[in-house]
Amino acid sequence: MADTAKISIGGKTIDLPILKGTTGPDVVDIRKFYAESDAFTYDPGFTSTASCESKITYIDGDAGVLLHRGYPIGELAEKSTFLDTCYLLLHGELPNAKQYADFEHTITYHTMLHEQFDRFFQGFRRDAHPMAIMTGAVGALSAFYHDSTDINDPQQRMISAHRLIAKMPTIAARAFKYFTGQPFVHPRNDLSYAENFLRMCFSVPAEDWKPNPVLTRAMDRIFILHADHEQNASTSTVRLAGSSGANPFACIAAGIACLWGPAHGGANEEALNMLKEIGTVDRIPEYIQGVKDRRYRLMGFGHRVYKNYDPRATVMQKTCHEVLAEVGDADDPLLKVAMELERIALSDEYFIERKLYPNVDFYSGITLRALGFPAEMFTVLFAVARTVGWISQWKEMIEDPAYKIGRPRQLYTGALQRAYVPVDKR
Ligand code: ACO
């Protein structure tokens, strides 16, 4: 491609520089376009717009590739641990043994919450959705940890990142305990990240939680699979919130709010509900017909970026089988429905034509249910894992000298200026 793109507008030709990444599509730099043409570009949903430069995650949706700092997600899920991946996302390189031990120690020793923070949960109704609690509680972190809210101080930025990665499982487990009416369980420093989280969720005063290596590994892997995903809706929300200079805890709360939607992080809950609604394999054709009649969508299918099998879905499917076998649910009827639904959809022209493949959420609901989580917790678990991606992307943005407040423009189609009409004359 040439080094500049040309746009003719209003009898004028404007040269726009073409930027090249290390891989992926070239990017037409339109930053000067408005100044030179007096026109905006229009791209609701950002289907053709790169909103930032980033070195963290690369996705080739057509090839089904997902790389974190250059490492394929399948390899990280197989060989890495969640904290190893967290370090990689935050720092750009995999840690050596000492760096790993130090990082693990730092995260482990930041898992506790301020004692007063626990009272915050009592303000929520008992039947509050755990995501509602998460949105509020994570935002409230900025009221407790003033010494890590100065975004201009690199050390404070790193401390806030550590605090968020460390405290998110504790907050999530408390949201779960509050939702189920059980007492809070404090973190323990002798357990791994995933072990600690599962224990805080499933231990009760009458009976401690016993670690199970298969289930712990599955939890850790699920965290790795959801750790980052380039400029998705919630990450873009975090960046946009952060672009105004808001503190990192407030920005992550904004990301959690965005993640909650059924088209994003809420999809795994919806996918499980859908499998339950279908119930048995014989009802699949009728359900598929409803999708084709556009009465509803096949949840856990399709992706804005992947027009091929989501590489995370491959690992998730394997993990799903391992977990179900471990908990003695290998014959789970919902797994049978999922597998048959996937088989039929992948051979059906409607789905082939639209390049609709299972995404990471298709199998995650069944897996999380087998781990013992109710559907209301699924998006919460996603938020725990994605926190490192959000904070790494936020940090990258703050450290980018070219960053400015995010302020999109619009195509205005409303009324022109008109005179105000008093109420008795309307
Ligand atoms: N089931 C049936 N048809 C679908 C689905 C689906 N899940 N997804 C897209 N389509 C169809 C649309 O109807 C449309 O068909 P048309 O061209 O005949 O009108 C075509 O595929 C393109 O759909 P868009 O909505 O333009 O695709 P977009 O990229 O905007 O949507 C999205 C991506 C939101 C993820 C969509 O596929 C969807 O709603 N999937 C279900 C929800 C889901 O699983 N979300 C999880 C995403 S992964 C994540 O957040 C971790």
Side-chain angles (χ1 to χ4, degrees):
M1 211 190 260
D3 291 330
T4 54
K6 291 186 190 309
I7 293 190
S8 296
I9 181 165
K12 196 172 161 193
T13 298
I14 297 165
D15 283 330
L16 299 168
I18 295 177
L19 310 179
K20 291 186 183 297
T22 40
T23 183
D26 290 344
V27 169
V28 181
D29 181 350
I30 57 166
R31 278 177 289 186
K32 301 252 159 58
F33 183 67
Y34 172 55
E36 291 185 19
S37 69
D38 207 24
F40 296 140
T41 56
Y42 185 58
D43 187 16
F46 304 108
T47 48
S48 297
T49 298
S51 61
C52 63
E53 182 186 329
S54 183
K55 293 181 169 51
I56 301 176
T57 293
Y58 173 71
I59 303 173
D60 181 340
D62 292 324
V65 167
L66 166 61
L67 309 176
H68 291 319
R69 304 284 193 183
Y71 296 99
I73 188 66
E75 234 177 295
L76 290 173
E78 199 61 48
K79 299 174 186 165
S80 177
T81 64
F82 179 61
L83 286 189
D84 197 42
T85 301
C86 285
Y87 187 100
L88 174 71
L89 289 169
L90 258 184
H91 295 277
E93 295 296 336
L94 286 166
N96 62 30
K98 172 154 188 338
Q99 288 165 332
Y100 184 82
D102 290 348
F103 185 66
E104 191 176 35
H105 183 273
T106 304
I107 299 300
T108 305
Y109 282 81
H110 272 105
T111 50
M112 282 179 65
L113 292 169
H114 192 289
E115 184 64 18
Q116 246 184 311
F117 198 90
D118 277 351
R119 288 197 224 146
F120 191 78
F121 292 91
Q122 316 300 327
F124 287 95
R125 277 172 56 137
R126 274 285 171 193
D127 60 354
H129 194 289
M131 278 300 276
I133 301 180
M134 290 299 286
T135 321
V138 173
L141 283 173
S142 32
F144 284 83
Y145 300 102
H146 302 286
D147 59 345
S148 51
T149 51
D150 179 358
I151 65 160
N152 299 314
D153 178 344
Q155 210 192 339
Q156 291 203 27
R157 287 201 294 271
M158 195 49 93
I159 296 173
S160 70
H162 291 157
R163 282 195 166 129
L164 278 157
I165 296 166
K167 293 185 199 304
M168 200 60 92
T170 315
I171 298 173
R174 273 159 167 61
F176 179 46
K177 286 299 194 190
Y178 190 73
F179 178 71
T180 49
Q182 292 179 1
F184 294 157
V185 177
H186 293 289
R188 247 178 43 189
N189 292 349
D190 59 330
L191 299 178
S192 74
Y193 193 85
E195 279 175 337
N196 225 338
F197 178 60
L198 289 173
R199 183 177 168 274
M200 285 191 287
C201 287
F202 298 118
S203 159
V204 288
E207 199 176 313
D208 202 358
W209 171 85
K210 290 187 194 64
N212 173 319
V214 175
L215 303 188
T216 308
R217 181 71 190 120
M219 188 74 260
D220 199 65
R221 199 175 284 151
I222 290 168
F223 286 153
I224 296 173
L225 291 180
H226 290 88
D228 191 48
H229 211 231
E230 207 227 59
Q231 309 310 322
N232 57 84
S234 57
T235 302
S236 298
T237 301
V238 170
R239 279 186 179 257
L240 194 54
S243 75
S244 72
N247 76 70
F249 303 110
C251 297
I252 301 302
I256 293 174
C258 177
L259 185 73
W260 197 355
H264 191 8
N268 48 16
E269 193 173 335
E270 296 295 324
L272 185 69
N273 289 340
M274 176 193 74
L275 295 175
K276 283 188 194 155
E277 195 186 319
I278 299 173
T280 49
V281 167
D282 58 301
R283 293 197 51 213
I284 292 176
E286 180 194 331
Y287 197 86
I288 295 256
Q289 193 51 51
V291 173
K292 290 182 186 173
D293 295 344
R294 293 169 185 274
R295 279 186 277 135
Y296 36 76
R297 285 188 169 202
L298 201 53
M299 298 312 286
F301 255 72
H303 198 278
R304 168 61 60 81
V305 180
Y306 294 117
K307 302 303 170 195
N308 198 327
Y309 212 97
D310 178 344
R312 302 168 301 170
T314 318
V315 184
M316 187 53 85
Q317 190 200 51
K318 188 167 162 252
T319 306
C320 180
H321 284 289
E322 284 168 13
V323 168
L324 290 180
E326 183 64 19
V327 301
D329 253 352
D331 292 326
D332 184 344
L334 292 194
L335 180 63
K336 288 207 176 104
V337 173
M339 289 175 65
E340 184 60 9
L341 190 59
E342 178 184 347
R343 194 190 63 76
I344 293 177
L346 291 182
S347 55
D348 189 301
E349 208 38 53
Y350 182 92
F351 297 89
I352 295 170
E353 210 175 86
R354 291 170 178 76
K355 298 187 176 170
L356 297 171
Y357 293 84
N359 59 50
V360 67
D361 288 328
F362 191 62
Y363 283 101
S364 66
I366 314 176
T367 317
L368 294 173
R369 191 180 68 140
L371 283 170
F373 291 105
E376 291 84 351
M377 277 299 287
F378 294 175
T379 318
V380 173
L381 299 172
F382 193 158
V384 170
R386 184 56 59 86
T387 296
V388 64
W390 288 330
I391 200 69
S392 303
Q393 300 264 358
W394 170 84
K395 199 170 142 305
E396 183 180 63
M397 177 188 73
I398 302 289
E399 289 165 10
D400 181 350
Y403 112 83
K404 11 162 64 176
I405 187 167
R407 192 0 179 138
R409 304 307 298 258
Q410 63 175 7
L411 171 66
Y412 179 69
T413 52
L416 293 176
Q417 182 171 330
R418 44 188 170 161
Y420 179 80
V421 182
V423 71
D424 57 327
K425 302 252 162 39
R426 285 175 214 162

